[in-house]
Amino acid sequence: MSDRRGFLKVSATAGGVLAFGHRRFNAMALTDVPAAAKPLRLLILGGTGLTGPHQVRYALARGHTVTVFNRGRRNERLPKGVEALQGDRNLHQVDALKGRDWDVVIDNPTTLPFWVRDAASILKGHAGQYVFISTISVYNPAGQQSIAENSPLLELTDRDPLTMTQEEASKNFEFLYGRLKTASEREAAKWFGAKTTIIRPGLIVGPGDGSFRFGYWPYRIEKGGDILAPGDGSDLIQIVDARDLAEWTIRMVENGTTGTFNATGPRAPMTMAEQLYGIRAAFSGNKDLSFIWVPADFLAEQKVAPWAEMPTWLPKSDPEHVISKTNVERAIAAGLTFRPLATTAVDAQAWYQGLPEAARAQVAKNAGLTEEKEKAVLAAWRQR
């Protein structure tokens, strides 16, 4: 998994660890949240992954009525007061959606375009707005200097995307992921037209993220000692806290906002050094801690994979580094806000430490360097 897209499969499947993980966090009710001006009837497709539980909690706190539709495997993680409908979109089982009306539909988990088609064919005329949660992985980075909502997209050109099955997609997930998301966006717009909202998140992080794609850094920094850090610290990174994304999504539907929005952060460009030192400020305590910055070419020699073993990081030499220059001005203008980095880091680490031991061990396998490999690479660097 040497590139960003190659890591997406882990990111998409790591949520399964939470089936035996820390459910209490997602089931907690939010307090001191002002009520929305008008209560809405919300249908959330999915609702039990990374962002879904945060959407549900915030929507309930704002006074909305929430229904989720999913396979029913992890609904015990949801707060009280949520209606659950059961089906399996991969098997075309969507009859539970028939004969109901909602103000807004939020589609969280879809990668396959036929999932959108099957749900939208029932929901068209029965929902006022359709929000499709996409990804910045839809963008084609080739030849780009930065990424905006009108940047070129990856396309699936050799077949009809609606015929793609989950089994087929899983065989070449890294190549197909962004292309299928592009096709899914278009399928949503085909059914709901001007009532469609497309949200393209960047790397989603924070409590509940079982992929360890950001959580490795607060975990490693809290341990202290000599920490292998990638590059020279100047490479750009972008992340968005799952709670910031989820709560902004709910505020967007309250405002009836439609259109396409990149949703990552922070507000201003952040370098790898700023990220790591920012996390260090939240965790250093009395521990001895040093970052050992190792050049990208040496890490390549040592077969240290960007993004997978050095989470959140891509060197400037990587063609996909341009994705870390995604413009988010439209989302900020539409109300996207950002928690402090320290808050995200502390809460991600607290969530991780709250998992049972077996779950922590499984999560830690998803990203970051093993202790043995980190020591070996640092020893080789010192020898060099």
Side-chain angles (χ1 to χ4, degrees), residues 338-356:
F338 306 99
R339 283 169 169 77
L341 173 65
T343 300
T344 299
V346 168
D347 291 350
Q349 176 65 352
W351 174 84
Y352 172 75
Q353 292 296 342
L355 292 171

Side-chain angles (χ1 to χ4, degrees), residues 240-262:
V240 62
D241 191 298
R243 296 163 295 182
D244 292 330
L245 175 64
E247 294 170 11
W248 173 66
T249 300
I250 299 302
R251 295 194 299 271
M252 289 277 279
V253 302
E254 290 172 356
N255 295 330
T257 305
T258 58
T260 301
F261 300 86
N262 294 328

Side-chain angles (χ1 to χ4, degrees), residues 11-252:
S11 301
T13 59
V17 71
L18 306 181
F20 60 92
H22 187 45
R23 299 186 178 100
R24 288 179 299 159
F25 180 88
N26 290 322
M28 290 168 54
L30 292 177
T31 58
D32 300 324
V33 176
K38 176 185 175 183
L40 300 173
R41 297 165 297 169
L42 304 182
L43 170 64
I44 298 179
L45 305 180
T48 60
L50 174 53
T51 57
H54 298 301
Q55 291 171 349
V56 170
R57 295 168 65 215
Y58 189 71
L60 291 175
R62 298 281 281 176
H64 304 304
T65 300
V66 178
T67 301
V68 299
F69 173 82
N70 54 43
R71 291 175 294 178
R73 297 181 178 181
R74 293 182 290 183
N75 284 344
E76 72 277 2
R77 296 170 53 204
L78 296 171
K80 293 180 180 179
V82 178
E83 179 189 18
L85 302 178
Q86 190 165 334
D88 190 332
R89 297 167 76 186
N90 198 48
L91 300 177
H92 306 281
Q93 296 172 355
V94 292
D95 285 354
L97 300 176
K98 291 181 177 179
R100 300 285 299 273
D101 294 303
W102 288 277
D103 297 306
V104 178
V105 177
I106 301 175
D107 189 344
N108 284 319
T110 293
T111 298
L112 297 173
F114 81 80
W115 287 19
V116 178
R117 179 201 61 199
D118 288 359
S121 63
I122 292 174
L123 295 169
K124 183 176 173 62
H126 297 277
Q129 182 179 359
Y130 195 99
V131 180
F132 182 75
I133 306 298
S134 186
T135 170
I136 59 173
S137 292
V138 297
Y139 291 113
N140 185 348
Q144 304 304 306
Q145 299 301 311
S146 62
I147 297 296
E149 284 83 358
N150 60 354
S151 293
L153 304 180
L154 294 169
E155 306 283 353
L156 185 62
T157 58
D158 62 346
R159 63 181 290 177
D160 181 358
L162 285 168
T163 66
M164 182 68 68
T165 67
Q166 189 173 52
E167 183 179 6
E168 291 171 322
S170 67
K171 294 177 182 177
N172 197 7
F173 192 84
E174 293 84 355
F175 175 80
L176 291 172
Y177 178 71
R179 290 165 172 81
L180 291 173
K181 280 285 195 178
T182 298
S184 296
E185 289 184 7
R186 294 195 176 130
E187 191 67 17
K190 182 179 82 174
W191 287 93
F192 282 87
K195 297 179 180 180
T196 308
T197 304
I198 305 295
I199 294 177
R200 295 171 177 160
L203 183 64
I204 306 172
V205 304
D209 177 19
S211 75
F212 225 36
R213 48 192 172 181
F214 166 83
Y216 168 78
W217 291 117
Y219 159 77
R220 181 63 190 87
I221 287 169
E222 189 175 43
K223 283 179 64 177
D226 288 344
I227 299 173
L228 192 156
D232 61 4
S234 67
D235 298 306
L236 294 177
I237 68 103
Q238 286 184 306
I239 57 176
V240 62
D241 191 298
R243 296 163 295 182
D244 292 330
L245 175 64
E247 294 170 11
W248 173 66
T249 300
I250 299 302
R251 295 194 299 271
M252 289 277 279

